[in-house]
Amino acid sequence: MNVTNSPGVCPVTGKSAELLTKISLVDPDISAHPNAYYDAMREADPVHYDEKLHMYLVSRFEDIQTIQRDPITYSVKHGYEAQYSAGFFEEFKDILERDGGGYFPDAIMSDPPYHTRIRGLMDKAFTAHRVRELEPLITDIVVDVIGGLPASGPVDIVKAFSVPITIRVICAQLGVAQYNADKIQRWSAAVTAQIGRMQDRDKMIENAREICELQHFLIEHVKDRQEHPREDMISDLVHARIDGADEPTLTFKEVVSLVRALMIAGNDTTATAMTNLFYLLGTRPELAGLLGRSAGDDRAMSRFVEELLRVEPPVRGLSRMTTKEVELGGKILPAGAHLLLMYASANDQPEVFPCPRDFDMERSNLGRHVSFGGGPHKCIGLSLARMEIRVAAREVAKRLANIKLEVSAEEIPYLKSVATHTIEHLPVSYTKL
Amino acid sequence: MSALTVTFVEEDGTVKTLGAETGQSLMQAGKDAGVAGILADCSGACACATCHVYVDDAWADIVGGPNPIEAEMLDMVADVLKENSRLSCQIRLTPELDGLKVTVAPLG
């Protein structure tokens, strides 16, 4: 079950140290199609200082593992704060305090021991076994969305498939019954732009206004669940308790920040993974047969999804900051060095994943990809994300055929962001089975 | 709550015998005691494979095999998978497991 670009030969990617001196991750062409840039970095300068971004880009698998395993030396809290609304933070914060019900720093983007407490209060909602119980609900949503697609397309699969599915799933989980999906998509874009490093001041003000609206929406729900608990994730967080702990419950500010994170973080990235499924089916047509043969087999589907996530990780790079001088990948980094972990690069490292651009769902170490990060900050929603993508892929295999992109791969627009690698629109045609 | 004893053999051969409580997961007991290689990145959600252990032959029948979701996670680390592989977050400690011995699997 190994699909290669050119049978029998591992495709050679462009490697050139010259690439590194001339360009930056924020250059739009690189940002859209970064794999050759990552290859050059791993080869020539694995902890590479990007002059435009003022960050060290960490590209090798082993260095990313080192960082993930040491959350004290490599601080998420300081890395995230330096990234957040970079260049406009004080103004951004003022807008939220004045018009958005308050500024609620992301409680989960923190360091131990505080992070350990927050994570402990969130974990119960997300076990793989609990998520497995959601499979029928998710299946109903996916089947309904596919049922609503026009007979053959073309449609923008982002707007017609990926986003509506993920929004419906997360709103059902949070217990949010009445919502405007277009607004949620705008709110998502506004929140994720705060760590994308590619917004100007006008855009920041526009995004801050969106986030104010989002926060008022969420605050109303949180206050409601304080009085009237229900069977939903907002209630779980409002009433989460660890008996015997010094601070056994979450504060109001923490709950709002966590509900915001759940609504946005999982939504945007999971939708991107679903879009990437269509991108891969459109650019590697031989995968359709592989997916079709896998659709009835849980083990095969779980491997298919994992390889999809390895080959095209939705999260491009999250940040850390060193809390002391440290050597990483042969380079001495000072305290306060701002790092970006390039997950797609680690997933492309041939010493770890041979012929990394091949879609090979039989890899024996598939679970080592870092698309969900790793260490104590590993994505908390990973089981839900896997389940949504698995159901989406399975139902696509059963219900759609002849999936074709209506644009060339070079024309696909990508979101301007260092945090995610997100296809903005993907016109796709298909036939319904 | 009653005290049990469990033994982890770390990847480098270091033997760690430690006290645990019934109702706890084997992962939690190992993590609390700082057993090398019991990382539990997903905090016991059965969603990664960083608490992977090999159950000692003498205990294999009593502990039993992986549940279906656990088996899917173990399949993701097929390069270090053995017949006696389990994720220690999925082993709930009971009085019958007093004396349990496991070896920590390599992280691959």
Side-chain angles (χ1 to χ4, degrees), chain A residues 123 128 303 364 367-368 375 386 390, chain B residues 41 43 45 47 72 75-76 78 108:
Chain A
D123 273 333
R303 285 186 155 268
S364 66
R368 296 190 77 203
R386 282 177 175 138
R390 181 206 299 229
Chain B
D41 281 356
S43 328
E72 276 180 27
D75 183 46
M76 296 294 156

Side-chain angles (χ1 to χ4, degrees), chain A residues 69 119 123 126-129 132 298-299 302-303 306 363-368 373-379 382-383 386 390, chain B residues 31 39-50 67-80 90 107-108:
Chain A
R69 300 269 173 252
R119 185 85 190 213
D123 273 333
F126 278 107
T127 70
H129 287 88
R132 193 59 58 110
D298 276 349
R299 174 187 175 272
S302 131
R303 285 186 155 268
E306 224 57 26
R363 294 179 190 280
S364 66
N365 61 352
L366 202 44
R368 296 190 77 203
H377 294 287
K378 188 157 185 148
C379 173
L382 78 177
S383 293
R386 282 177 175 138
R390 181 206 299 229
Chain B
K31 195 171 182 201
L39 303 174
D41 281 356
C42 79
S43 328
C46 197
C48 70
T50 59
N67 63 58
I69 296 174
E70 182 185 350
E72 276 180 27
M73 285 322 306
L74 285 166
D75 183 46
M76 296 294 156
V77 290
D79 52 339
V80 290
Q90 299 299 302
L107 288 168

Side-chain angles (χ1 to χ4, degrees), chain A residues 150-161:
Chain A
S152 62
V155 297
D156 174 9
I157 217 70
V158 177
K159 200 164 175 52
F161 181 87

Side-chain angles (χ1 to χ4, degrees), chain B residues 43-57:
Chain B
S43 328
C46 197
C48 70
T50 59
C51 69
H52 179 188
V53 296
Y54 305 125
V55 177
D56 209 62
D57 285 348

Side-chain angles (χ1 to χ4, degrees), chain B residues 12-96:
Chain B
D12 69 357
T14 305
V15 178
K16 281 194 177 152
T17 298
L18 44 109
E21 302 291 336
T22 57
Q24 239 187 343
S25 71
L26 179 64
M27 175 279 282
Q28 200 60 56
K31 195 171 182 201
D32 290 350
V35 172
I38 300 295
L39 303 174
D41 281 356
C42 79
S43 328
C46 197
C48 70
T50 59
C51 69
H52 179 188
V53 296
Y54 305 125
V55 177
D56 209 62
D57 285 348
W59 290 93
D61 287 346
I62 304 168
V63 173
N67 63 58
I69 296 174
E70 182 185 350
E72 276 180 27
M73 285 322 306
L74 285 166
D75 183 46
M76 296 294 156
V77 290
D79 52 339
V80 290
L81 185 68
K82 294 186 185 176
E83 280 203 352
N84 54 348
S85 284
R86 290 292 311 267
L87 296 180
S88 58
C89 71
Q90 299 299 302
I91 300 176
R92 190 65 48 190
L93 292 174
T94 59
E96 295 73 43

